[in-house]
Amino acid sequence: MELTTSADRFRATCSTARQEGSIVGFVPTMGALHQGHGRLVAAARRECGFVALSIFVNPFQFGAGEDFSSYPRRLEQDSAVAASLGCDVLFVPEERSMYPQGRPTVTVDPGPLGERLEGRSRPGHFRGVLTVVAKLLNLAGHGRAYFGEKDAQQLVLVRRMVEDLDIPVEVVAVPVVREIDGLALSSRNVRLSMQEREAAPALFDALTIAAQLARAGERDANVLRAQMARRIGAEPIAKLDYVAIVDDATWEDLVTIEGPARALVAARFGSTRLIDNVLLPWEPSPAAVQNTSSDEERR
Ligand code: PAF
């Protein structure tokens, strides 16, 4: 595996791989690699002849008072992990080479969805994310880029950006990887105290409750939201930020669940803020199925 800090070198290496006939699979990360990242690289390895991974803790996606300075950084360990996962190139740019003029004046506007949910709790976050992802995708060039479903809002915004700005990259979503007790893997989990770690599966419990209600036929999104909030509220050290039930295509908040929907939750455990989400089980009601088949018969 080649390790480079140079953007030009990274661009050239990906470009050479393409010229030699490989599909370039790119996994952008902020490091502190865990098995969730491992799944992203494994998916890229399966599908692409050349796998590139980047590690860059992007300052402009952290708000004032957020955990930019305490975000886990462990390059030596990460570099060994990236090599063992079979990456071909590891790109670790320095901040001054990514942003030679400091904060960029031209940035990617994430649109209205960028202001909601994570965007409401973390103003400017998605502008920072999309701006750095656009830069990284431009450097990696044509190919596939792999993102985890844990950051579901980030994933949908990256998809929208790639589509709206005609970036020649296929975005591939990779399912959440969980600990045995349901906690979604996250680089931030290492910062949980023992007590916080014990409480953190409350997030997945809340999502499981929403999924069970949906499976049992509950269609009132407020009932799901209330039950999710109740589960988080039952955990004395968890501080709920939000629960949400959104349409999985439009990401609008739902009143009634009438199609594929996503449940999302964010909460703070001490100084660590965690997020998680699941796609809710969905089956159209028998009446809707009957209507569709008679519609089809009429055609
Ligand atoms: O998900 C992350 O790790 C980051 O938001 C990303 C996509 C690497 C951009 O900094």
Side-chain angles (χ1 to χ4, degrees):
M1 182 188 76
E2 175 181 346
L3 190 157
T4 181
T5 57
S6 153
D8 288 344
R9 176 71 197 158
F10 177 59
R11 192 198 290 273
T13 308
C14 294
S15 165
T16 305
R18 259 186 309 274
Q19 278 159 21
E20 288 171 353
S22 290
I23 295 175
V24 172
F26 176 42
V27 182
T29 81
M30 297 205 298
L33 301 179
H34 51 67
Q35 280 175 45
H37 298 112
R39 268 320 150 79
L40 300 178
V41 175
R45 200 58 290 171
R46 263 196 315 276
E47 297 174 3
C48 306
F50 185 87
V51 176
L53 185 134
S54 66
I55 296 179
F56 179 61
V57 186
N58 171 39
F60 301 127
Q61 67 186 73
F62 292 81
E66 288 189 13
D67 57 350
F68 173 65
S69 50
S70 61
Y71 196 86
R73 288 165 174 85
R74 40 181 204 213
L75 183 56
E76 215 169 295
Q77 197 176 324
D78 281 352
S79 166
V81 171
S84 74
L85 291 171
C87 293
D88 295 296
V89 62
L90 171 60
F91 175 44
V92 190
E94 283 179 12
E95 191 179 321
R96 62 174 183 275
S97 76
M98 285 298 272
Y99 300 112
Q101 319 293 337
R103 184 175 283 274
T105 49
V106 176
T107 54
V108 179
D109 180 351
L113 178 55
E115 308 296 320
R116 298 181 38 229
L117 302 165
E118 282 303 283
R120 173 173 298 185
S121 301
R122 307 183 64 190
H125 171 65
F126 287 120
R127 183 177 295 275
V129 169
L130 293 191
T131 302
V132 81
V133 171
K135 285 167 73 74
L136 291 167
L137 295 182
N138 275 330
L139 292 172
H142 181 264
R144 297 192 183 138
Y146 294 78
F147 293 85
E149 281 181 352
K150 186 183 76 68
D151 297 305
Q153 194 178 0
Q154 166 174 285
L155 171 64
V156 71
L157 285 169
V158 168
R159 278 194 195 289
R160 287 182 185 182
M161 172 180 76
V162 161
E163 197 181 317
D164 288 352
L165 303 185
D166 295 317
I167 299 176
V169 164
E170 185 191 334
V171 174
V172 182
V174 177
V176 183
V177 182
R178 300 183 180 284
E179 301 278 7
I180 200 109
D181 58 7
L183 178 65
L185 296 196
S186 159
S187 302
R188 291 186 166 98
N189 290 354
V190 296
R191 300 216 322 262
L192 296 168
S193 69
M194 214 148 72
Q195 197 197 9
E196 289 159 2
R197 173 63 190 81
E198 272 168 23
L203 293 179
F204 186 61
D205 288 355
L207 296 170
T208 304
I209 290 168
Q212 281 165 349
L213 286 166
R215 192 173 292 114
E218 180 60 68
R219 296 287 172 251
D220 184 341
N222 277 332
V223 171
L224 271 61
R225 282 189 273 263
Q227 291 305 319
M228 288 166 71
R230 209 171 127 190
R231 173 63 189 92
I232 304 291
E235 199 59 66
I237 63 165
K239 196 161 171 280
L240 181 64
D241 185 348
Y242 63 78
V243 289
I245 306 290
V246 300
D247 180 305
D248 192 48
T250 64
W251 275 66
E252 291 303 327
D253 282 316
L254 285 174
V255 176
T256 309
I257 301 171
E258 290 169 330
R262 194 168 287 274
L264 302 115
V265 60
R268 214 169 260 289
F269 297 82
S271 61
T272 306
R273 188 172 173 281
L274 299 178
I275 60 173
D276 200 355
N277 73 93
V278 295
L279 189 63
L280 294 175
W282 166 252
E283 274 176 37
S285 67
V289 173
Q290 240 166 25
N291 284 343
T292 318
S293 43
S294 47
D295 283 353
E296 272 161 12
E297 278 158 22
R298 275 199 291 277
R299 264 186 230 127

